[in-house]
């Protein structure tokens, strides 16, 4: 694949046997693209190749050229994949090229789709190499949706116990870099609660195991909340875990309450650090909106008038002070329970 | 209602945004080559923007409109997987009149088919040329074992977007025979996440765009397929909560938790909330304020303040405003520039355009009028 980039296929003797086919445009088109000479030339030859059905090494060169000019050219990707299978190129060579292209065109769907196809078709799959590659590309773009999706797909596809276990360390590494990376939080949920990383949480698993995992996840989440209280990703995860395990919200109110009062208001209560209920880091902005919301929900779920009244008080704080952009929503919640109070 | 931010809202540069879209329709620079495989979708964002601004027929000539209609119908192709629309003739070497038949590398595309139908509805086409039976065959050819849909028949490229297109097309056709609906609905449910949103495919992170797609699809499906409703009350509450959480203090919506606000998510999240009956909870003054700041000085709307505009973000911003217009009856000055005709959030088109589509695309429209020419 060494043909000089500036030579057009039309001027290249090695391609003289192919009849280039120009694009048909028909009537005055909508949003026509003023193609570069290079792109027009390459795609003319590509249409010519598709017409004859040729699948040979030089087609790999041609499709690579088109992909580099337009990584979203899905027909070039599709034809390339079929050609790879036909000429039996070692998968490793193609993956090496993809390592480069994936970083270059990180946001292009096709790059990742092609990689998936390669892995699916491969018999000597090396998932560890893939996970390392993904970890490396996530360094360049820590929240890239395609990259994370690919990791999730790969783990589910391979479904190997050992791989699952390593994922928790990976998530922690990502969260160490950025506690607010929601993709990492989501990945943790996927690994622990849907995949095989929870010690049997996904399928089966004994009661004791489940309780151990729940405790571990709650401790982990609380610790990260204490480091950065105003982090919706962590609170969403906390709620997700409680919902998933049907754990009553009220059970962790002793922890959450620490995040709705000012430090000065609870002087004396932090003499002994309770590991189950780590307090907010110094200088944290309190009250924490997510904690107010959580506490109100917990009160509402008590199902009695006292709980409802307490919830209303908190929603008023949200509506009028803490979260005014959603004022109408909190007022709606207030109306919803006020109808029930004393009913 | 807060009125303080009211007075500060600058004008919506309607003429500038219309000009941006018209410019793109007439031609794109070579640097935009990535649009090659999605030109019909881009055309939809341009034509759709003009439609939302209410100037489509005023700002385009009869001559142009006729040619555009012809060009779109040229992308309507039939072959072994049925009939649909391709993105552009980027893989085509001859016209249909010359006996051209599509190959495996130039098939109809499901997303382009959805956008083509909407473009034609905006052009007020009578759809007499639509191969309706071929269209259901094509949709069927795109559905996969797991209930999802591929972009083109046989390709492994699939996600929730394609499923929505299949649902929207079937809804416009008023014919669901091309879809195994229960299986598709099952696929949607596997994309739901603990946050209350939906990911692009199973196991993926909740995202505003795919959440809209999931919610809209569940509401487009005939209720006979959903005996328990589109969502349970608990699911609905969680989803509303998450969508609302995405409205940032700037007024714009984020696409994912802890990301930056982006103009397109004002539509995706906003439309999701509208469909779920939670429209009133959106702070529309703040939303308009954010979109105002995304306006590019030479026309067009960008994803965030200071970025370059494109038809995609322009269209979706205008569509968001058509649902959440800050305009109040009788207002003058800057505020008067923010007035819109309302939007059909399920099909993502202006209400009158959606109505045209629903009146002219179903097979019965031919049965009642002879040639598919609408009575209205
Ligand atoms: Zn965007």
């Amino acid at each position: 694949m060494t043909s000089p980039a500036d030579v057009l296929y039309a001027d290249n003797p090695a391609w003289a046997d192919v009849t280039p086919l120009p694009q048909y445009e028909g009537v005055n088109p909508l949003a026509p693209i003023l193609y570069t000479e290079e792109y027009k030339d390459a795609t003319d030859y590509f249409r010519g190749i598709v017409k004859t059905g040729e699948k040979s090494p030089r087609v790999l060169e041609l499709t690579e050229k088109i992909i580099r000019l337009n990584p979203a050219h899905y027909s070039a990707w599709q034809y390339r994949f079929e050609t790879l299978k036909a000429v039996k190129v070692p998968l490793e060579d193609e993956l090496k090229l993809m390592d480069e292209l994936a970083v270059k065109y990180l946001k292009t769907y096709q790059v990742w789709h092609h990689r998936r196809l390669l892995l699916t078709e491969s018999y000597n799959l090396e998932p560890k190499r893939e996970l390392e590659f993904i970890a490396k590309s996530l360094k360049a773009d820590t929240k890239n949706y395609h990259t994370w999706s690919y990791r999730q797909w790969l783990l589910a596809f391979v479904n190997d116990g050992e791989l699952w276990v390593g994922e928790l360390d990976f998530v922690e590494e990502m969260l160490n870099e950025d506690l607010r990376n929601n993709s990492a939080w989501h990945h943790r949920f996927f690994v622990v609660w849907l995949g095989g990383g929870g010690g049997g949480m996904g399928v089966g698993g004994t009661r004791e195991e489940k309780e151990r995992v729940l405790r571990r996840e709650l401790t982990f989440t609380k610790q990260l909340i204490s480091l950065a209280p105003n982090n919706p990703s962590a609170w969403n995860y906390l709620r997700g875990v409680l919902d998933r395990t049907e754990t009553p919200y009220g059970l962790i109110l002793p922890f959450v309450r620490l995040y709705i009062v000012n430090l000065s208001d609870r002087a004396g209560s932090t003499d002994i650090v309770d590991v189950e209920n780590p307090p907010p880091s110094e200088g944290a902005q309190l009250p924490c909106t997510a904690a107010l919301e959580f506490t109100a929900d917990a009160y509402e779920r008590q199902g009695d008038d006292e709980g409802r009244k307490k919830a209303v008080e908190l929603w008023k704080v949200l509506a009028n002070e803490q979260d005014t952009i959603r004022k109408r929503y909190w007022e709606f919640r207030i109306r919803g329970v006020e109808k029930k109070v004393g009913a | 209602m807060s009125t303080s931010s009211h007075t500060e809202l600058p004008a919506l540069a309607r003429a500038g945004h219309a000009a941006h879209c018209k410019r793109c329709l007439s031609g794109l620079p070579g640097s935009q080559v990535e649009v090659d495989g999605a030109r019909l979708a881009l055309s939809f964002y341009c034509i759709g923007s003009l439609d939302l601004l209410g100037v489509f027929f005023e700002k385009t000539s009869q001559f142009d409109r006729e040619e555009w209609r012809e060009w779109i119908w040229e992308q309507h192709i039939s072959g072994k997987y049925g009939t649909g629309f391709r993105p552009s003739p980027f893989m085509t070497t001859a016209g249909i009149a010359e006996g051209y038949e599509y190959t495996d590398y130039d098939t109809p595309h499901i997303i382009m088919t959805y956008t083509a139908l909407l473009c034609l509805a905006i052009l007020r086409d009578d759809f007499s040329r639509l191969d309706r039976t071929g269209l259901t065959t094509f949709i069927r050819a795109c559905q996969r074992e797991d209930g999802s849909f591929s972009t083109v028949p046989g390709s492994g490229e699939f996600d929730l977007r394609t499923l929505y297109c299949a649902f929207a097309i079937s809804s416009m056709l008023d014919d669901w025979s091309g879809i195994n609906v229960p299986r598709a609905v099952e696929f949607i449910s596997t994309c739901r996440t603990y946050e209350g949103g939906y990911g692009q495919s199973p196991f993926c992170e909740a995202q505003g765009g795919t959440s809209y797609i999931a919610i809209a699809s569940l509401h487009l499906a005939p209720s006979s397929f959903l005996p328990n409703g589109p969502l349970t009350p608990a699911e609905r509450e969680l989803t509303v909560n998450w969508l609302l959480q995405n409205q940032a203090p700037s007024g714009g919506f984020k696409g994912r938790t802890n990301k930056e606000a982006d103009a397109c998510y004002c539509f995706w999240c906003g439309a999701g909330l509208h469909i779920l009956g939670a429209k009133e909870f959106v702070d529309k003054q703040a939303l308009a304020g954010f979109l105002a700041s995304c306006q590019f000085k030479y026309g067009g709307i960008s994803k965030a303040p200071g970025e370059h505009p494109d038809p995609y973000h322009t269209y979706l911003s205008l569509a968001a405003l058509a649902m959440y217009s800050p305009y109040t009856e009788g207002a003058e000055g800057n505020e008067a520039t923010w007035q819109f005709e309302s939007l059909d959030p399920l099909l993502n088109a202006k209400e009158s355009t959606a109505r045209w589509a629903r009146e002219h695309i179903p097979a019965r429209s031919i049965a009642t009028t002879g040639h598919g020419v609408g009575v209205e």
Side-chain angles (χ1 to χ4, degrees):
Chain A
M1 307 191 184
T2 49
S3 81
D6 50 350
V7 173
L8 296 178
Y9 288 94
D11 301 330
N12 188 337
W15 288 80
D17 59 314
V18 180
T19 311
L21 293 176
Q23 173 176 328
Y24 167 83
E25 201 50 89
V27 294
N28 195 17
L30 268 167
I33 300 166
L34 307 169
Y35 299 123
T36 60
E37 194 56 32
E38 202 183 2
Y39 185 75
K40 213 158 110 77
D41 169 66
T43 53
D44 283 355
Y45 277 79
F46 180 53
R47 281 181 291 266
I49 287 287
V50 168
K51 175 102 181 173
T52 60
E54 177 182 327
K55 289 185 173 122
S56 65
R58 71 174 176 180
V59 174
L60 295 178
E61 182 205 318
L62 176 65
T63 49
E64 182 185 336
K65 168 115 184 182
I66 293 174
I67 285 162
R68 283 180 186 276
L69 294 169
N70 174 13
H73 197 302
Y74 62 84
S75 302
W77 282 105
Q78 183 188 354
Y79 203 82
R80 178 180 184 82
F81 183 66
E82 288 165 16
T83 308
L84 283 168
K85 286 209 287 187
V87 302
K88 300 196 169 58
V89 166
L91 171 74
E92 303 78 71
D93 292 359
E94 183 70 358
L95 268 186
K96 230 178 266 165
L97 175 66
M98 288 308 116
D99 286 356
E100 184 215 327
L101 295 189
V103 177
K104 220 175 186 148
Y105 308 118
L106 212 54
K107 298 209 191 301
T108 308
Y109 185 96
Q110 271 74 24
V111 180
W112 298 100
H113 175 56
H114 186 71
R115 209 177 175 101
R116 252 182 226 208
L117 289 179
L118 291 173
L119 268 282
T120 314
E121 293 279 326
S122 151
Y123 294 103
N124 46 356
L125 175 75
E126 287 180 76
K128 280 220 169 99
R129 179 203 184 276
E130 280 306 283
L131 290 180
E132 277 163 28
F133 167 75
I134 298 166
K136 221 173 76 197
S137 27
L138 281 174
K139 287 237 154 63
D141 184 358
T142 56
K143 297 180 180 178
N144 186 287
Y145 201 84
H146 298 308
T147 320
W148 281 104
S149 304
Y150 179 62
R151 192 173 187 99
Q152 282 133 16
W153 169 82
L154 183 77
L155 287 163
F157 177 69
V158 180
N159 198 16
D160 175 290
E162 210 187 308
L163 285 189
W164 285 116
V165 174
E167 286 306 281
L168 285 188
D169 286 342
F170 173 70
V171 167
E172 273 171 54
E173 228 175 87
M174 293 300 292
L175 288 177
N176 269 340
E177 266 169 50
D178 177 10
L179 280 174
R180 292 180 170 79
N181 186 343
N182 197 60
S183 302
W185 283 101
H186 170 84
H187 193 68
R188 186 172 186 98
F189 196 93
F190 161 68
V191 168
V192 174
W193 305 99
L194 307 172
M201 283 313 296
V203 263
T206 63
R207 217 188 128 104
E208 287 74 31
E209 259 179 313
K210 286 187 179 181
E211 273 167 13
R212 185 184 61 78
V213 172
L214 172 61
R215 263 201 311 279
R216 183 191 72 197
E217 292 308 301
L218 289 181
T219 306
F220 174 82
T221 311
K222 286 174 184 175
Q223 263 161 3
L224 294 205
I225 287 178
S226 84
L227 290 175
N230 290 293
N231 176 10
S233 295
W235 288 96
N236 285 359
Y237 184 79
L238 180 67
R239 283 167 175 267
V241 169
L242 298 174
D243 291 346
R244 174 95 190 166
T245 53
E246 294 175 354
T247 308
Y249 281 20
L251 275 187
I252 57 159
L253 272 187
F255 165 74
V256 178
R257 275 203 203 96
L258 300 174
Y259 294 78
I260 59 174
V261 285
N262 284 311
L263 280 166
S264 55
D265 298 340
R266 52 183 175 82
S269 66
T270 50
D271 293 347
I272 308 151
V273 175
D274 174 1
V275 281
E276 283 301 311
N277 300 306
S281 55
E282 249 176 85
Q285 266 233 307
L286 295 183
C288 165
T289 306
L292 288 169
E293 230 185 293
F294 186 98
T295 310
D297 279 341
Y299 285 147
E300 188 192 15
R301 287 171 193 211
Q302 280 181 22
D304 55 12
D305 275 0
E306 196 205 331
R308 282 191 275 267
K309 277 181 191 149
K310 282 178 171 171
V312 166
E313 285 317 304
L314 293 173
W315 284 329
K316 280 184 183 160
V317 175
L318 285 165
N320 301 321
E321 295 161 38
Q322 290 292 313
D323 192 32
T324 51
I325 200 159
R326 275 165 285 273
K327 186 180 177 63
R328 290 191 194 88
Y329 180 62
W330 301 124
E331 287 170 349
F332 161 80
R333 295 289 297 271
I334 292 169
R335 285 195 303 276
V337 298
E338 274 180 346
K339 271 185 269 171
K340 289 184 192 160
V341 174
Chain B
M1 296 266 163
S2 73
T3 46
S4 55
S5 54
H6 227 106
T7 45
E8 289 159 25
L9 199 61
L12 180 68
R14 303 177 80 101
H17 303 327
H20 169 72
C21 294
K22 273 203 74 180
R23 258 196 312 276
C24 294
L25 279 176
S26 62
L28 301 166
S31 57
Q32 299 268 315
V33 71
E34 286 201 35
V35 174
D36 215 12
R39 263 168 63 198
L40 245 175
L42 181 112
S43 305
F44 165 68
Y45 294 128
C46 295
I47 291 177
S49 295
L50 295 171
D51 193 36
L52 292 173
L53 289 165
V55 297
F56 181 66
F57 285 89
E58 167 195 325
K59 295 266 176 174
T60 59
S61 69
Q62 168 85 20
F63 178 78
D64 277 346
R65 290 195 299 272
E66 276 314 306
E67 292 213 305
W68 293 344
R69 245 157 45 94
E70 281 316 305
W71 186 80
I72 295 170
W73 280 115
E74 259 188 354
Q75 314 318 318
H76 175 257
I77 45 171
S78 301
K80 61 174 172 176
Y81 302 113
T83 305
F85 294 79
R86 64 184 166 213
S88 72
F90 80 127
M91 282 300 292
T92 311
T93 53
I96 298 160
E98 296 155 61
Y100 179 84
E101 244 186 72
Y102 69 69
T103 66
D104 274 353
Y105 310 97
D106 188 26
T107 65
H109 186 293
I110 203 161
I111 300 175
M112 303 305 140
T113 302
Y114 156 73
T115 54
L117 293 177
L118 287 184
C119 283
L120 290 166
I122 293 169
L123 284 155
R124 301 295 187 254
D125 188 88
D126 66 7
F127 291 97
S128 56
R129 287 186 254 182
L130 186 64
D131 174 12
R132 295 166 173 84
T133 320
L135 197 45
T136 46
T137 308
F138 168 65
I139 294 171
R140 203 174 295 124
C142 289
Q143 192 167 20
R144 296 155 38 94
E145 237 351 82
D146 64 3
S148 67
F149 291 79
S150 54
T151 49
V152 296
S155 133
E157 191 184 334
F158 69 96
D159 55 46
L160 271 184
R161 289 173 316 158
T162 43
L163 182 144
Y164 167 76
C165 293
F167 274 44
I169 296 165
S170 300
S171 173
M172 286 189 265
L173 273 173
D174 197 18
D175 177 354
W176 290 79
S177 64
I179 298 184
N180 181 333
V181 181
R183 205 174 277 184
V185 167
E186 175 59 30
F187 181 78
I188 298 174
S189 70
T190 62
C191 297
R192 191 175 166 87
T193 88
Y194 67 96
E195 292 195 275
Y198 293 79
Q200 185 171 278
S201 33
F203 315 129
C204 296
E205 184 185 356
Q207 203 261 13
T210 42
S211 297
Y212 160 79
I213 290 270
I215 296 162
S217 301
L218 290 170
H219 287 78
L220 280 167
S223 52
S224 56
F225 289 109
L226 300 158
N228 302 318
L231 292 172
T232 67
E235 284 172 336
R236 184 189 166 277
E237 192 184 312
L238 187 64
T239 302
V240 166
N241 214 297
W242 177 75
L243 288 168
L244 286 172
Q245 206 183 75
N246 288 333
Q247 189 168 25
S250 66
F253 274 85
K254 300 171 272 191
R256 292 186 254 159
T257 305
N258 271 333
K259 293 266 288 181
E260 297 296 316
D262 174 329
C264 66
Y265 294 110
C266 292
F267 173 79
W268 301 124
C269 296
L273 286 163
H274 185 2
I275 296 168
L276 292 173
K279 201 179 158 190
E280 56 177 310
F281 306 137
V282 172
D283 187 333
K284 54 185 186 180
Q285 287 296 331
L287 182 131
F290 175 77
L291 293 176
S293 70
C294 293
Q295 300 187 94
F296 186 60
K297 60 180 169 179
Y298 303 117
I301 300 173
S302 56
K303 69 172 189 172
E307 304 263 353
H308 279 280
D310 58 73
Y312 171 82
H313 285 96
T314 302
Y315 176 84
L316 292 171
S317 299
L318 297 174
L321 289 168
M323 294 180 287
Y324 297 103
S325 167
Y327 170 81
T328 40
E329 198 59 45
E332 286 168 16
N334 283 349
E335 198 187 315
T337 62
W338 294 82
Q339 195 184 354
F340 284 90
E341 194 191 305
S342 45
L343 187 94
D344 179 328
L346 288 176
L347 287 184
N348 186 5
K350 204 166 79 173
E351 262 177 13
S352 53
T353 296
R355 206 178 314 124
W356 182 275
R358 292 189 185 288
E359 276 167 12
H360 295 84
I361 297 178
R364 65 177 139 72
S365 63
I366 336 173
T368 52
T369 61
H371 292 94
V373 180
V375 263
E376 309 201 8

